[in-house]
């Protein structure tokens, strides 16, 4: 990375990852110019930089146009169609993601051969990457989960202690990633999301497809999602890279899949032309099901496990075999805000799936509920999505809907058109805590014993909350408080 010594480099976005980028660039001797929309982020930056600026995207774009920056490293929050990247392109400034910088640093380090296993998709990325890291760890490897999950990739690369990286990549990060060459790569699924950021569904899918570019050993696709199969067919991969499908049915040659209660590989072992090999069982995933029962496992959890197994086995790393897959899946613990039961009282379960920030993810969460037993808390920043197909699919599972969000018109329209008889309660705008407490109160009034209240908003949180994590944490607190009050009432009556 000697070429960055003395180079004038801009960094846009000074959050945790951006600050790590600034630190790395200054260590390499670059002349760093820092930009952010938040004055407090600019002021908090401690690294020695040549200049710093707080301003709107338009202000930052105007500052870039006359600059002589050689490179711009951008936060995932900088839209593809927004003024900053438009100005950078007009000024001839090369743009990289933090992922691109980290990959180049890896290749220039004392350990250039540390493989990256990359995962993208509209939904399931975090679960799959967590499972993948757990499998690799079970094989005795130092395998941190990084990217959109865990530490910034660049910090992990600079630490130099990993044997392999399990990398979660968003479409935002992939948009400005240029030379990444993962050992194995997967796009789990593609559904409409972040269309306002990318400018349309085609651009969104094209950025997702970049995960397969230069894949070395295995390109993993979803047999139930034709778009991912097409991505692999069109990808410019390294010669000899295998295409491997994952399916919830019995696997054909070149696939991993499910045979009764067994996870089976017919793609990545030497006898695959003659037979499949067992790599895990549904019992290895039972702890992820409601009540710990394997027969209640959500389908998407099994699909994520199959994808993670294919990524691990396809990496070609020593010690990564069927035993590691089974042990890793048994050891995997899901992260917060992804179908987590946070309270139970009066026969009602309260489930936090705040990470369901798009229609595809919300549908996966709600589809497994028994008919008429779901109270759905929905709404927020739509990111340009529509909800008619989602509502039509999940309406049979619902008792009613509680709407949050500053602008509830898109969800209201879909509910009126696709589920006209379904009870709907609208929560007024307010502080984050007021919104969630109102939603919990409305849900409690609607729910009956045997029901599940599910926070699966199908929308981003940014219109009313700092993050989906804040939304989920507040929901968990309010649900537990409600559950405690129900239990107290029951004690008094008894």
């Amino acid at each position: 990375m000697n070429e960055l010594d003395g180079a004038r480099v801009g960094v846009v976005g000074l959050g945790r990852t951006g600050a790590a980028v600034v630190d790395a660039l200054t260590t390499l001797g670059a002349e760093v110019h820092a930009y952010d929309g938040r004055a407090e982020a600019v002021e908090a930056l401690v690294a020695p930089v040549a200049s710093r600026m707080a301003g709107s995207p338009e202000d930052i774009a105007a500052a870039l146009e006359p600059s002589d920056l050689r490179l711009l490293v951008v936060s995932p929050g900088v839209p593809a169609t927004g003024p900053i990247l438009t100005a950078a392109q007009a000024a001839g400034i090369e743009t990289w993601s933090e992922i691109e910088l980290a990959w180049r640093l890896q290749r220039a380090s004392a350990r250039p051969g540390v493989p990256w296993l990359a995962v993208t998709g509209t939904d399931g990325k975090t679960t799959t990457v967590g499972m993948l890291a757990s499998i690799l760890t079970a094989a005795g490897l130092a395998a941190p989960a990084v990217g959109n999950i865990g530490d910034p990739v660049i910090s992990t690369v600079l630490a130099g202690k990993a044997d392999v990286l399990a990398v979660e990549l968003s479409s935002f990060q992939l948009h400005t990633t240029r030379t990444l060459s993962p050992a194995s790569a997967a796009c789990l699924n593609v559904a409409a999301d972040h269309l306002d950021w990318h400018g349309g569904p085609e651009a969104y899918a094209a950025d997702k497809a970049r995960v397969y570019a230069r894949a070395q050993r295995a390109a993993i696709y979803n047999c139930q999602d034709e778009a991912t199969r097409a991505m692999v067919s069109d990808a410019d991969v390294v010669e000899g890279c295998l295409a491997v499908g994952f399916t919830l049915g019995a696997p054909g040659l070149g696939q991993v899949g499910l045979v009764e209660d067994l996870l089976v590989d017919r793609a990545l072992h030497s006898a695959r032309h003659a037979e499949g090999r067992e790599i895990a069982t549904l019992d290895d995933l039972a702890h992820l099901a409601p009540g710990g029962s394997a027969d209640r496992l959500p389908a998407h959890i099994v699909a994520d496990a199959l994808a993670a197994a294919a990524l691990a086995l396809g990496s070609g790393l020593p010690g990564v075999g069927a035993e590691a897959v089974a042990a890793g899946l048994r050891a995997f613990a899901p992260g917060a805000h992804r179908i987590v039961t946070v309270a139970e009282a009066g026969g009602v379960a309260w489930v936090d799936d705040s990470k369901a920030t798009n229609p595809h993810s919300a549908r996966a969460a709600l589809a497994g509920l028994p008919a008429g037993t779901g109270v759905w808390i929905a709404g927020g920043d739509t990111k340009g999505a529509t909800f008619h197909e989602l509502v039509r699919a999940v309406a049979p599972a619902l008792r009613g809907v509680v709407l949050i969000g500053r602008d509830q018109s898109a969800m209201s329209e879909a509910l009126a058109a696709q589920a006209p008889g379904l009870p709907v309660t609208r929560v007024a705008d307010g502080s984050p805590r007021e919104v969630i407490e109102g939603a919990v109160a409305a849900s409690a009034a609607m729910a009956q014993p045997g029901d599940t209240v599910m926070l699966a908003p199908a929308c981003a949180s940014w219109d009313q909350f700092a993050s989906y994590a804040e939304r989920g944490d507040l929901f968990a607190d309010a649900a537990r408080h409600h559950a405690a009050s129900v239990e107290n009432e029951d004690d008094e009556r008894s």
Side-chain angles (χ1 to χ4, degrees):
M1 299 297 288
N2 291 337
E3 61 194 57
L4 289 177
D5 189 7
R8 288 171 54 83
V9 182
V11 177
V12 180
L14 302 175
R16 184 182 178 204
T17 298
V21 167
V22 171
D23 287 341
L25 289 169
T26 53
T27 300
L28 292 167
E31 179 186 308
V32 178
H33 301 262
Y35 307 88
D36 198 288
R38 301 161 299 150
E40 61 273 20
V42 173
E43 293 166 2
L45 191 64
V46 297
V49 296
S51 71
R52 58 186 74 201
M53 173 185 173
S56 67
E58 292 75 16
D59 293 335
I60 295 171
L64 293 178
E65 290 174 357
S67 74
D68 58 352
L69 295 178
R70 183 200 146 183
L71 174 67
L72 195 67
V73 181
V74 295
S75 158
V78 178
T81 56
I84 293 174
L85 289 184
T86 300
Q89 183 177 17
I93 303 171
E94 189 173 4
T95 55
W96 293 357
S97 63
E98 172 253 347
I99 300 299
E100 177 67 19
L101 176 60
W103 173 252
R104 294 189 185 224
L105 284 171
Q106 180 77 75
R107 300 295 292 168
S109 73
R111 302 180 67 200
V114 171
W116 291 25
L117 314 185
V119 181
T120 193
T122 303
D123 297 306
K125 298 185 293 297
T126 299
T127 299
T128 301
V129 168
M131 289 176 169
L132 174 59
S134 188
I135 292 168
L136 297 169
T137 300
L141 300 167
V146 295
N148 266 6
I149 178 176
D151 293 329
V153 182
I154 198 164
S155 300
T156 303
V157 168
L158 290 174
K161 297 179 180 179
D163 297 319
V164 54
L165 301 184
V167 188
E168 178 183 332
L169 296 175
S170 69
S171 55
F172 304 158
Q173 292 166 311
L174 285 164
H175 182 76
T176 44
T177 296
R178 315 293 184 195
T179 63
L180 172 63
S181 180
S184 58
C187 182
L188 304 175
N189 43 61
V190 181
D193 197 18
H194 302 299
L195 304 187
D196 48 353
W197 194 98
H198 290 275
E202 294 82 7
Y204 172 65
D207 280 334
K208 288 292 188 190
R210 295 168 73 95
V211 76
Y212 294 118
R214 298 165 296 278
Q216 298 174 28
R217 298 184 60 90
I220 316 301
Y221 66 90
N222 183 345
C223 296
Q224 275 71 52
D225 192 322
E226 184 57 38
T228 66
R229 184 194 298 268
M231 288 176 182
V232 171
S233 297
D234 295 341
D236 185 10
V237 300
V238 173
E239 185 175 355
C241 179
L242 296 175
V244 179
F246 64 91
T247 174
L248 292 173
L253 186 63
Q255 298 175 350
V256 296
L258 198 60
V259 178
E260 297 180 347
D261 64 342
L262 303 180
L263 278 65
V264 175
D265 165 29
R266 284 208 64 200
L268 296 161
H269 68 110
S270 57
R272 61 185 176 273
H273 293 279
E275 61 185 4
R277 65 166 170 172
E278 177 187 334
I279 53 177
T281 72
L282 292 183
D283 282 341
D284 295 320
L285 296 167
H287 62 290
L288 305 176
S293 175
D295 60 3
R296 297 180 65 190
L297 272 167
H300 63 91
I301 294 293
V302 181
D304 292 345
L306 288 163
L311 284 154
L313 296 170
S315 70
L317 287 164
V320 181
E323 289 184 3
V325 171
L329 294 179
R330 286 195 300 272
F332 170 70
H337 313 300
R338 194 65 174 123
I339 314 184
V340 179
T341 300
V342 296
E344 293 183 78
V348 176
W350 296 77
V351 177
D352 170 16
D353 194 27
S354 184
K355 201 169 184 183
T357 59
N358 58 65
H360 190 266
S361 184
R363 178 173 179 172
L366 293 160
L369 296 177
T373 65
V375 176
W376 179 26
I377 302 176
D381 183 340
T382 67
K383 300 178 290 183
T386 58
F387 303 98
H388 285 257
E389 183 178 346
L390 168 63
V391 171
R392 185 165 56 250
V394 303
L398 301 179
R399 181 178 302 282
V401 180
V402 175
L403 284 184
I404 60 175
R406 195 160 288 162
D407 180 359
Q408 301 173 0
S409 58
M411 190 69 76
S412 293
E413 178 189 341
L415 288 165
Q418 303 299 331
L422 195 65
V424 177
T425 301
R426 293 167 177 79
V427 178
D429 190 20
S431 71
R433 186 170 295 278
E434 288 169 341
V435 169
I436 286 298
E437 288 180 350
V440 166
S443 300
M446 196 178 288
Q448 297 182 16
D451 286 356
T452 299
V453 176
M454 177 84 74
L455 172 66
C459 297
S461 58
W462 303 315
D463 60 334
Q464 293 180 311
F465 306 90
S467 64
Y468 74 79
E470 182 191 38
R471 180 171 62 188
D473 288 341
L474 288 171
F475 172 76
D477 287 345
R480 289 174 186 135
H481 180 77
H482 168 76
S485 67
V486 170
E487 290 174 351
N488 288 336
E489 290 174 4
D490 290 344
D491 289 344
E492 290 174 3
R493 280 195 293 267
S494 63

